[in-house]
Amino acid sequence: MAFNSDSAKPETATRTESFVWGIPQNGLQHKERQVAQDEPPPLPANAELTYIGKPTERYDGPAKAMGKGKYTADVNLPGMLYARLVDATIPHGRIVSIDTSAAEKVPGVRAVHVIEHVYGVAELRDPKMETPSRYPMVRYAGQPVAGVAAISQQIANDAAALVKVQYDTMPFVVDRSDARSDDAPMVFPGPADAAGSAGGGGGPKGVPQKGNVHGPQQKKIGDTDKGFSEADVIVEGEYFTQVQTHSALETHGFVVDWKPDEVTVYASTQGTSSVRNEFADVFKLPKSKVRVITEYMGGGFGAKFGAGNEGVVAANLSRKANAPVKLMLDRRQEHIVCNRPDSHQKLKIGAKQDGTLTAIALTSYGTAGVGTGAGTAGPATNMYKCPNLLTEEYDVFVNAGPGAAFRAPGHPQGCFAFEQTIDDLAAKLNMDPLTLREKIDENPARKVERQLILERTNWRNRKPAGSDTGPVKRGMGIAQSVWYRFVNMNSSCEVRVSRDGSVELMSAVQDLGTGTKTMLAVIVAEEFGIPPASVGIRIGDTRFPIGPDSGGSVTAGSITPAARNAAYQAKQKLFVAVAPQLGTTSDNLTLRNGRVVFKNDASRSFSLKQATAKLPTDQISAQSTRVAEYAKERITYGGVDYVELAVDTETGRVHIEKVFGAHDCGRPINPTGVISQINGGILQGISYALFEQRIMDRNAGYMLNANLENYKILGAREVPEIEVVLVENYIAQSSTDAAGIGESAGIITLAAAIGNAFYNATGVRMRKIPMTPANVLSALGKVQEVQA
């Protein structure tokens, strides 16, 4: 440690290192960075490494394939009870009374809990109420109001049906357009504030609200009026996207075992730490008294953080019954509890004749039900260089379940509108869409990705829009994405080396099915020179060193440097411990191919097991926590996706035939896992563009298709040919240079790329999704009517 007498604060000793930097296709360079003395030396490019950057099978693949992976729904504890939520049957109103007496009398029922606070809904006391109610306001059909625990799931279900709830119903609205009307029923009625807004709303403080419309949240750069006056060409467009539900394979759920000395929570979550923190906060417990375990997790896509209503209810039932309680949402409840907001966007873009952008203006309205977060401006504000920009984003409240983060929040909606408008601009300028993007996009990785589109696809043979004859018309289109580098400093790992030669890593970080276990195994394997499968990975338990929540493509960039640093430090401790027994010094030892080798005499070596057998103790370990980025730089990632499709203009069916994607995410640790993530994002993007849509009953106020029969999701028959190429992008920011891919992995671009390909095939701009046969035929019919 160095000590700075001026600041009277200890400073970590540092050294200067030269890191590989840049994109291989552009020629790699080096950047000097200051790093802590205990950090490992910089990694070379992936081509020079043994395990990092090489395709690796999933660490937990065999366990999943054989059914050995234990998910939250698989947890069965001695004496465990099963719980069922009681949901509100009205979309809006006051709860007058809740009678649980009949449910409590059912044989086998052990506990009943009535909810007094609903998580995920901004609560606002209605000033019209003469006396406050002990019950929360009901703001959407399906809102949980109580829970029942019994000795079997069937008994719990039957008893929950006997809970009698008396309501004082209120007018409601479930459609975004209807909710914007001045006379629409108020979702959050409240007194007007000094700015004339309605107050409440659950959104950012200081943002005005008028009726159900909350906003705008505004971003302004330069002068758009001036920018449009300087433009040679102006294009405008209006676009609509639908509400999409997350539909993870595993629903939200918890098993809670409440004991006086410790509350143990098995959770289907993207953040063991977030669950622990919320349980501790809600129940006024020390964090050390809450243990959260997520061994296997069946997807979340952004919607599974914290305790949630189901976790809090399960904990209350467990505490009352003095027994473990399992509460898993059913598929109907899962559809209601989380969704991607819809959007209504108006875009206007001005440009010079050479394609240079002069102004961008975006106004968007979207509904996240009783929540906020329906913004769409990410692509418009962060993709292309433009001196004049104005975005105004509004949240519209409706009586429907709350929105939640969903892979790249706001970006798929925003990209659908923005990238199609960019293509409209290219058409008006008589420019190739790729050529226009080359002009206005300075991102070096996307420049390489566009070149890959030219080299690896059929783009050069693209025909003029609508030139195909016959009822089935084919076209191709592209779209680009942008996402951002986020790092969570609450990212720690411990690496242990035992006398028997075993090496294991521990962290509270969870694997939601994205391959985190495999990625960590690869990192440790590279440092010790042993196969990834031989590394023990123990994660998803808050008794281990703290791990980051997995959302926003944070995990890889946050946890892998901590893992490598811990592995490196454990290795150095190993050398120090065994060097005297080997008759040398620690700085004369290295690890290659699983053997401890003498640097001054490569012919002398020991297997790792032989070397660890000489340890003076049974085990050595090292723990490391994520350090700050080496430099303060704004870094973004993204990709370019290409689509070939066919449109049957008689039936309205759109068939995706091929997708080619070129993507970057820093240093790919396991290309197999990264490509798997991108494949999944592409499939979700196609499903969003063509099929998925929440349908609400405007008269009754509930979701009509809250199942997987009527809520259509892409199936095996709709999967196209997919090819993905990864672009390595070394940024010299950490000891691994890894980054996440979950957000930019095709999910952002596909609806826009399909829209552009649809236009190329038909000459008609598809401004609304999903592109169901009805919507497609409507769009084609409108064009024919105008022509007629």
Side-chain angles (χ1 to χ4, degrees):
M1 301 285 286
F3 191 78
N4 185 325
S5 59
D6 294 333
S7 63
K9 293 181 180 179
E11 293 183 348
T12 302
T14 62
R15 67 181 194 274
T16 302
E17 290 281 9
S18 180
F19 284 79
V20 64
W21 181 84
I23 299 170
Q25 288 91 332
N26 294 338
L28 291 176
Q29 303 174 41
H30 283 82
K31 274 196 175 184
E32 288 191 346
R33 303 291 201 197
Q34 290 294 119
V35 302
Q37 285 288 5
D38 60 355
E39 286 225 350
L43 290 171
N46 279 359
E48 301 176 43
L49 297 173
T50 303
Y51 298 112
I52 291 177
K54 306 302 184 292
T56 305
E57 293 182 356
R58 279 184 180 266
Y59 183 90
D60 53 3
K64 290 182 175 180
M66 292 185 288
K68 294 182 178 179
K70 183 171 285 189
Y71 295 80
T72 300
D74 299 321
V75 173
N76 291 297
L77 303 178
M80 187 180 76
L81 303 176
Y82 301 83
R84 172 77 181 194
L85 286 178
V86 178
D87 302 328
T89 57
I90 64 167
H92 197 196
R94 304 180 187 89
I95 297 175
V96 177
S97 65
I98 300 178
D99 183 357
T100 62
S101 58
E104 292 169 3
K105 294 175 183 176
V106 174
V109 170
R110 295 291 182 264
V112 176
H113 177 72
V114 174
I115 295 173
E116 295 186 1
H117 179 82
V118 180
Y119 296 89
V121 179
E123 190 53 49
L124 178 70
R125 293 293 183 189
D126 189 339
K128 297 176 183 177
M129 295 177 64
E130 295 181 1
T131 57
S133 170
R134 61 167 291 201
Y135 308 114
M137 288 284 293
V138 172
R139 304 203 189 273
Y140 64 93
Q143 179 178 312
V145 298
V148 178
I151 60 174
S152 75
Q153 189 65 61
Q154 188 59 56
I155 293 175
N157 294 349
D158 292 344
L162 295 176
V163 174
K164 297 178 181 178
V165 183
Q166 183 180 352
Y167 302 100
D168 181 4
T169 61
M170 299 170 63
F172 63 89
V173 60
V174 296
D175 178 79
R176 171 185 30 79
S177 297
D178 295 343
R180 289 176 58 185
S181 300
D182 291 339
D183 59 350
M186 286 284 288
V187 177
F188 289 97
D193 60 22
S197 69
K205 292 182 179 179
V207 178
Q209 178 177 330
K210 182 180 180 181
N212 291 314
V213 179
H214 188 274
Q217 296 217 57
Q218 188 179 88
K219 181 172 183 178
K220 183 177 182 180
I221 299 173
D223 184 340
T224 50
D225 289 338
K226 180 174 178 291
F228 285 121
S229 70
E230 295 172 349
D232 297 323
V233 172
I234 294 176
V235 293
E236 298 183 67
E238 189 172 12
Y239 296 86
F240 300 86
T241 65
Q242 79 282 29
V243 171
Q244 177 190 25
T245 68
H246 291 61
S247 301
L249 282 176
E250 182 185 31
T251 64
H252 284 64
F254 292 81
V255 176
V256 181
D257 188 6
W258 187 291
K259 287 186 168 56
D261 56 338
E262 184 179 56
V263 179
T264 302
V265 181
Y266 299 85
S268 177
T269 183
Q270 296 176 233
T272 57
S273 297
S274 74
V275 173
R276 180 200 60 190
N277 294 347
E278 285 200 10
F279 266 81
D281 181 56
V282 171
F283 294 102
K284 310 304 179 187
L285 297 170
K287 292 180 182 179
S288 59
K289 295 290 187 180
V290 182
R291 181 188 183 189
V292 180
I293 300 170
T294 305
E295 186 179 359
Y296 286 85
M297 194 267 209
F301 308 126
K304 292 181 178 177
F305 292 100
N309 295 296
E310 60 277 5
V312 173
V313 169
N316 276 296
L317 291 170
S318 177
R319 180 167 58 175
K320 290 179 177 181
N322 196 27
V325 171
K326 178 190 291 185
L327 199 168
M328 301 296 298
L329 299 189
D330 64 20
R331 183 56 58 183
R332 180 189 62 81
Q333 293 168 326
E334 183 70 13
H335 274 292
I336 293 169
V337 76
C338 55
N339 60 77
R340 184 191 296 282
D342 69 0
S343 74
H344 172 199
Q345 303 173 68
K346 292 183 179 180
L347 258 167
K348 183 178 180 182
I349 300 178
K352 293 291 190 181
Q353 198 61 48
D354 66 354
T356 302
L357 300 184
T358 62
I360 298 172
L362 166 68
T363 302
S364 72
Y365 293 83
T367 182
V370 293
T372 58
T376 65
T381 57
N382 296 294
M383 190 102 75
Y384 304 119
K385 57 181 180 181
C386 183
N388 304 295
L389 170 79
L390 176 62
T391 64
E392 295 181 315
E393 302 170 286
Y394 296 85
D395 282 286
V396 182
F397 294 117
V398 302
N399 295 109
F406 192 160
R407 294 185 82 167
H411 284 59
Q413 306 99 296
C415 189
F416 175 70
F418 188 58
E419 281 291 87
Q420 286 203 84
T421 310
I422 290 293
D423 258 39
D424 278 347
L425 178 62
K428 200 162 186 178
L429 293 170
N430 197 28
M431 293 178 69
D432 182 293
L434 276 179
T435 303
L436 174 60
R437 287 170 173 84
E438 192 69 17
K439 170 75 176 179
I440 61 178
D441 183 12
E442 297 178 327
N443 183 276
R446 286 198 295 268
K447 285 183 178 290
V448 172
E449 289 154 6
R450 285 191 295 272
Q451 186 61 35
L452 286 167
I453 297 291
L454 283 173
E455 294 172 357
R456 304 284 291 271
T457 73
N458 197 35
W459 183 264
R460 296 183 193 273
N461 297 320
R462 182 170 169 268
K463 299 177 182 178
S467 59
D468 266 7
T469 59
V472 177
K473 302 181 184 297
R474 285 179 164 79
M476 59 188 77
I478 58 105
Q480 300 189 158
S481 65
V482 62
W483 193 249
Y484 321 96
R485 181 172 177 84
F486 300 119
V487 171
N488 187 335
M489 301 297 286
N490 291 317
S491 303
S492 301
C493 292
E494 180 182 355
V495 172
R496 295 177 181 174
V497 182
S498 298
R499 187 179 276 163
D500 64 359
S502 60
V503 180
E504 60 181 343
L505 174 144
M506 285 153 291
S507 175
V509 67
Q510 54 291 309
D511 188 332
L512 16 161
T514 54
T516 300
K517 293 174 184 173
T518 312
M519 177 176 63
L520 293 173
V522 168
I523 294 290
V524 177
E526 187 70 46
E527 206 60 43
F528 278 86
I530 57 178
S534 66
V535 180
I537 301 295
R538 299 171 62 195
I539 64 174
D541 188 332
T542 53
R543 284 187 176 174
F544 299 149
I546 191 170
D549 295 341
S550 294
S553 297
V554 163
T555 308
S558 300
I559 199 66
T560 58
R564 185 179 179 227
N565 295 1
Y568 172 78
Q569 292 162 19
K571 182 176 66 174
Q572 299 308 307
K573 286 186 176 182
L574 169 65
F575 292 159
V576 170
V578 304
Q581 301 294 321
L582 300 178
T584 187
T585 58
S586 61
D587 58 2
N588 190 39
L589 297 176
T590 188
L591 265 168
R592 295 180 196 148
N593 300 321
R595 298 187 69 82
V596 177
V597 181
F598 285 62
K599 292 180 181 178
N600 64 358
D601 184 359
S603 65
R604 296 184 63 191
S605 68
F606 296 85
S607 70
L608 182 60
K609 189 171 184 177
Q610 289 171 328
T612 56
K614 300 181 183 297
L615 282 169
T617 59
D618 285 343
Q619 183 185 84
I620 60 169
S621 69
Q623 181 172 326
S624 181
T625 297
R626 180 64 155 93
V627 298
E629 300 277 77
Y630 295 153
K632 293 182 179 180
E633 298 174 354
R634 186 176 187 273
I635 296 171
T636 62
Y637 304 103
V640 183
D641 288 299
Y642 161 93
V643 167
E644 292 180 8
L645 55 68
V647 180
D648 188 326
T649 59
E650 292 182 341
T651 65
R653 183 175 181 271
V654 178
H655 177 63
I656 311 303
E657 297 180 330
K658 182 175 182 178
V659 177
F660 176 91
H663 291 258
D664 64 287
C665 62
R667 179 194 298 270
I669 302 300
N670 176 21
T672 299
V674 175
I675 291 172
S676 176
Q677 278 272 77
I678 296 170
N679 286 340
I682 287 170
L683 296 179
Q684 271 190 316
I686 295 172
S687 192
Y688 175 57
L690 301 187
F691 305 116
E692 297 186 48
Q693 182 177 21
R694 183 186 72 182
I695 301 173
M696 299 293 293
D697 187 319
R698 292 191 183 191
N699 296 319
Y702 60 86
M703 184 176 174
L704 288 167
N705 58 335
N707 52 57
L708 291 180
E709 179 180 7
N710 297 313
Y711 185 90
K712 170 63 178 171
I713 291 176
L714 172 140
R717 292 182 64 184
E718 291 97 18
V719 174
E721 174 189 347
I722 300 175
E723 182 182 359
V724 174
V725 174
L726 302 181
V727 174
E728 296 174 13
N729 187 6
Y730 302 103
I731 57 173
Q733 287 287 9
S734 74
S735 64
T736 63
D737 253 356
I741 192 65
E743 316 306 314
S744 63
I747 184 70
I748 295 176
T749 54
L750 258 290
I754 291 170
N756 286 332
F758 185 97
Y759 176 80
N760 181 239
T762 65
V764 175
R765 182 60 67 188
M766 196 71 197
R767 302 185 184 274
K768 179 180 180 180
I769 54 174
M771 298 181 197
T772 59
N775 286 340
V776 168
L777 292 175
S778 175
L780 295 174
K782 288 180 180 178
V783 169
Q784 292 165 1
E785 289 169 4
V786 169
Q787 290 174 343

